[in-house]
């Protein structure tokens, strides 16, 4: 186990238990870890997340998935500060109901994405510490993925990883789904089976190297026939 | 004398205002056939490249464009609000809004939040009844009219290319597009925080149109081949 060593002025290492004055400040945020991933296919979308809820060196829960079903065609994955994830999903649910009552139809994935952007920006000066990724089907039935930053900037992608292991997953997806940095390779469209297998492999790798990712993987597959859920075990250490 | 010196140099001196806008290169310049707008497409979160496919040109309406530099959410939110205000103006006055008025609306909107931490450096580009219009507006409260602007961490590299290319006064549309594309490419070559693709737009009397989207890697190979 690594620990950074601190050296004092006399060249000797500082003590592990520092006994000088320490300033304590209340922080309204805490980081609860977790990784989320979404992939859009021709007629399907996959939103996957691990189920570990951690804080500092502890694990609060091994069964806290970060995918939330919004409508029959849209799933959102939220990682970051769990308190803000819960509140944000409750606010989105309430807004979905309001829209349904006023407009007599369900919100489409694109509309939910645009709405989430304004909800997040409404707290521009005290942000929701949440990294969101929406996965679903657009009005034409094609897969759509929308990725957000904590204050509401968003764009439509084909695939995106967010959360603590995002920097490890994203390059692998760039190569396998985006065919980046590969010469002379045929760009085959991604089938649902291949996408699900890729997602499983990618999370197994993330659990190997990221302490905040592990325990189990929850996969939500969105197709025109509805949303199917699958749970796969991951490393528990 | 002493108090003036300390006032200038106690950390609030010339060093303070030099802030590199969150990794971007965007540029726009006027020429005889309108305005060319060229941007890169990289978004960074610290040293991590969060995206290589960001749309940094925001289509406010069919004849007005806004560019994005600084905080992505700030730029897209306020420019979307500007689009709404421009539409309201059109409905109330039965004519299109001028570029000067649109940029003023944006500048006044963000001025109310001055000092609260918004980060936005944008160029409002369009064509109105006075001809091509180009304004630079930022979250500090600046609003300036000009013929050429480059904004972002890679702006200095882009200025070098555009300044030398604009010396010959009468550019054709194709030459101007090539110049804009080349300037962004060179900026992505030297600035670590710029990259991805070069998105090029041309604003003319009928409105704007998207000229091209070129991957920087492809451009590199193309320019290398031309050199040989």
């Amino acid at each position: 186990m690594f620990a950074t060593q601190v050296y004092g002025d006399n060249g000797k290492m500082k003590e592990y238990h520092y006994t000088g004055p320490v300033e304590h400040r209340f922080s309204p945020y805490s980081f609860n870890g977790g990784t989320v991933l979404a992939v859009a296919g021709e007629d399907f979308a996959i939103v996957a997340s691990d189920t570990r809820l951690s804080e500092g060196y502890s694990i609060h829960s091994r069964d806290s998935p970060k995918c939330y079903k919004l409508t029959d065609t849209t799933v959102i994955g939220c990682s970051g500060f769990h308190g803000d994830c819960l509140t944000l999903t409750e606010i989105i649910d309430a807004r979905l109901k309001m829209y349904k009552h006023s407009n007599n139809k369900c919100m489409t994935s694109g509309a939910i994405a645009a709405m989430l952007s304004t909800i997040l920006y409404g707290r521009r000066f005290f942000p929701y510490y949440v990294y969101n990724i929406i996965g679903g089907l657009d009005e034409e039935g094609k897969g759509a993925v929308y990725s957000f930053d904590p204050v509401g900037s968003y764009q439509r992608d084909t695939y995106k990883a967010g959360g603590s292991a995002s920097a490890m997953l994203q390059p692998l997806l760039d190569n396998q789904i985006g065919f980046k940095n590969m010469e002379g390779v045929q760009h085959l469209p991604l089938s649902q089976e291949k996408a699900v297998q890729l997602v499983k492999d990618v999370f197994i790798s993330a659990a190997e190297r990221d302490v905040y990712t592990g325990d189990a993987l929850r996969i939500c597959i969105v197709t025109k026939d509805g949303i199917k859920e699958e749970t796969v075990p991951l490393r528990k250490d | 004398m002493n108090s003036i010196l300390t006032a200038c140099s106690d950390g609030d001196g010339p060093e303070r205002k030099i802030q590199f806008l969150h990794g971007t290169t965007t540029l726009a310049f006027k020429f005889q056939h309108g305005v060319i707008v060229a941007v890169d497409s990289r978004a960074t979160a610290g040293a991590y490249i969060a995206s290589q496919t960001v749309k940094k040109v925001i289509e406010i309406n069919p004849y007005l464009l806004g560019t994005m530099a600084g905080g992505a959410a700030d730029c897209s939110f306020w420019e979307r609000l500007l689009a709404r205000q421009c539409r309201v103006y059109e409905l109330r006055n039965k004519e299109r809004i001028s570029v000067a008025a649109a940029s003023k609306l944006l500048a006044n909107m963000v001025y109310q939040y001055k000092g609260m931490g918004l980060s936005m450096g944008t160029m409002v580009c369009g064509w109105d009844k006075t001809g091509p219009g180009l304004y630079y507006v930022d979250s500090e409260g600046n609003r300036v009219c000009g013929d050429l602007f480059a904004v972002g961490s890679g702006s200095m590299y882009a200025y070098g290319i555009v300044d030398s290319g604009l010396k010959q006064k009468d550019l054709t549309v194709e030459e101007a597009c090539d110049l804009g594309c080349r300037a962004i490419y060179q900026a992505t070559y030297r600035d670590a925080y710029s990259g991805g693709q070069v998105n090029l737009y041309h604003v003319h009397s009928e409105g704007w149109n998207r000229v091209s989207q070129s991957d920087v890697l492809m451009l590199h190979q193309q320019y290398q081949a031309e050199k040989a």
Side-chain angles (χ1 to χ4, degrees), chain A:
Chain A
M1 202 207 78
F2 277 108
T4 47
Q5 306 295 2
V6 181
Y7 291 87
D9 291 331
N10 57 1
K12 292 196 176 161
M13 277 198 294
K14 275 196 172 171
E15 292 165 57
Y16 184 67
H17 294 287
Y18 176 63
T19 50
V22 181
E23 188 184 331
H24 293 281
R25 285 218 61 175
F26 169 70
S27 167
Y29 298 118
S30 101
F31 181 65
N32 295 115
T35 307
V36 187
L37 163 56
V39 178
E42 188 56 45
D43 56 355
F44 66 92
I46 296 174
V47 181
S49 75
D50 72 324
T51 59
R52 174 174 288 179
L53 188 73
S54 26
E55 186 171 352
Y57 290 116
S58 315
I59 295 176
H60 285 314
S61 167
R62 295 194 191 275
D63 186 22
S64 171
K66 292 151 196 67
C67 317
Y68 302 91
K69 176 176 171 263
L70 296 180
T71 66
D72 285 333
T73 54
T74 319
V75 176
I76 189 171
C78 311
S79 68
F81 169 44
H82 192 63
D84 276 348
C85 295
L86 293 175
T87 304
L88 188 61
T89 47
E90 275 164 31
I91 288 177
I92 296 172
D93 280 336
R95 292 285 298 266
L96 284 173
K97 280 195 190 126
M98 283 155 61
Y99 183 97
K100 186 124 192 263
H101 286 131
S102 331
N103 302 84
N104 205 24
K105 66 171 193 164
C106 281
M107 281 188 93
T108 59
S109 296
I112 296 175
M115 177 185 76
L116 179 56
S117 174
T118 48
I119 292 174
L120 292 170
Y121 200 83
R123 289 267 299 257
R124 169 65 175 78
F125 300 111
F126 181 14
Y128 288 109
Y129 181 9
V130 190
Y131 292 92
N132 294 290
I133 305 182
I134 289 180
L137 300 176
D138 66 9
E139 282 129 313
E140 293 164 21
K142 295 205 175 102
V145 165
Y146 296 92
S147 60
F148 293 78
D149 81 347
V151 278
S153 160
Y154 79 108
Q155 61 172 55
R156 185 169 173 176
D157 292 306
T158 320
Y159 55 89
K160 189 77 180 184
S164 55
S166 59
M168 283 180 221
L169 302 186
Q170 191 68 28
L172 185 53
L173 298 176
D174 283 334
N175 182 268
Q176 292 297 307
I177 306 181
F179 301 106
K180 299 271 170 75
N181 300 308
M182 290 214 281
E183 303 264 329
V185 174
Q186 213 188 352
H187 286 14
L188 297 163
L190 195 64
S191 69
Q192 192 177 313
E193 293 72 34
K194 191 149 180 278
V196 173
Q197 191 50 49
L198 187 63
V199 166
K200 289 178 186 168
D201 290 338
V202 135
F203 264 91
I204 289 168
S205 306
E208 290 287 323
R209 289 290 181 177
D210 179 33
V211 300
Y212 295 112
T213 304
D215 293 332
L217 165 64
R218 176 70 65 88
I219 306 179
C220 299
I221 306 166
V222 188
T223 54
K224 63 171 170 27
D225 303 320
I227 299 175
K228 209 169 49 128
E229 287 188 7
E230 218 181 295
T231 308
V232 168
L234 292 174
R235 286 183 74 116
K236 292 179 172 32
D237 58 0

Side-chain angles (χ1 to χ4, degrees), chain B:
Chain B
M1 182 63 179
N2 228 1
S3 58
I4 298 170
L5 276 175
T6 46
C8 287
S9 64
D10 76 355
D12 279 351
E15 282 85 350
R16 183 172 72 119
K17 281 301 170 188
I18 301 174
Q19 297 163 359
F20 289 115
L21 288 175
H22 311 231
T24 253
T25 312
T26 59
L27 69 85
F29 61 88
K30 281 192 217 176
F31 70 120
Q32 61 165 332
H33 296 294
V35 189
I36 293 290
V37 183
V39 299
D40 76 319
S41 68
R42 179 173 286 188
T44 49
Y48 177 65
I49 297 173
S51 173
Q52 292 270 61
T53 52
V54 179
K55 299 270 178 314
K56 294 189 188 178
V57 175
I58 292 154
E59 296 155 7
I60 296 170
N61 63 38
Y63 58 94
L64 270 182
L65 291 175
T67 60
M68 178 200 290
D74 290 334
C75 291
S76 45
F77 182 87
W78 290 106
E79 289 182 21
R80 196 165 162 221
L81 215 52
L82 176 64
R84 206 189 95 192
Q85 281 303 106
C86 290
R87 180 67 185 136
V88 169
Y89 179 100
E90 261 178 37
L91 290 167
R92 286 181 177 152
N93 299 285
K94 288 204 202 158
E95 66 167 16
R96 283 180 180 178
I97 192 170
S98 64
V99 185
S103 59
K104 194 105 190 207
L105 281 175
L106 181 61
N108 288 341
M109 281 194 278
V110 296
Y111 186 71
Q112 298 184 304
Y113 292 88
K114 185 172 160 72
M116 291 173 75
L118 288 186
S119 168
M120 186 191 82
T122 182
M123 296 179 283
V124 182
C125 326
W127 188 295
D128 55 32
K129 51 188 189 214
T130 60
L134 177 57
Y135 281 81
Y136 167 72
V137 177
D138 74 18
S139 47
E140 298 292 296
N142 289 314
R143 173 181 166 266
V144 275
C145 181
D147 292 337
L148 160 66
F149 292 110
V151 183
S153 54
S155 60
M156 294 300 132
Y157 306 109
Y159 272 127
I161 304 295
V162 184
D163 283 334
S164 50
L166 276 183
K167 271 192 198 139
Q168 358 124 246
K169 261 295 149 183
D170 305 331
L171 292 170
T172 64
V173 175
E174 204 184 315
E175 283 171 344
C177 290
D178 284 342
L179 183 62
C181 198
R182 190 74 196 236
I184 297 288
Y185 161 74
Q186 293 296 152
T188 62
Y189 189 73
R190 282 291 176 180
D191 177 30
Y193 289 88
S194 301
Q197 295 138 4
V198 180
N199 282 312
L200 197 65
Y201 285 72
H202 173 215
V203 188
H204 47 78
S205 54
E206 313 296 312
W208 55 260
N209 65 276
R210 189 144 176 232
V211 173
S212 64
Q213 178 185 57
S214 339
D215 190 293
V216 162
L217 193 58
M218 299 293 139
L219 283 176
H220 179 73
Q221 288 164 353
Q222 183 193 316
Y223 292 134
Q224 291 290 89
E226 279 171 20
K227 253 199 236 174

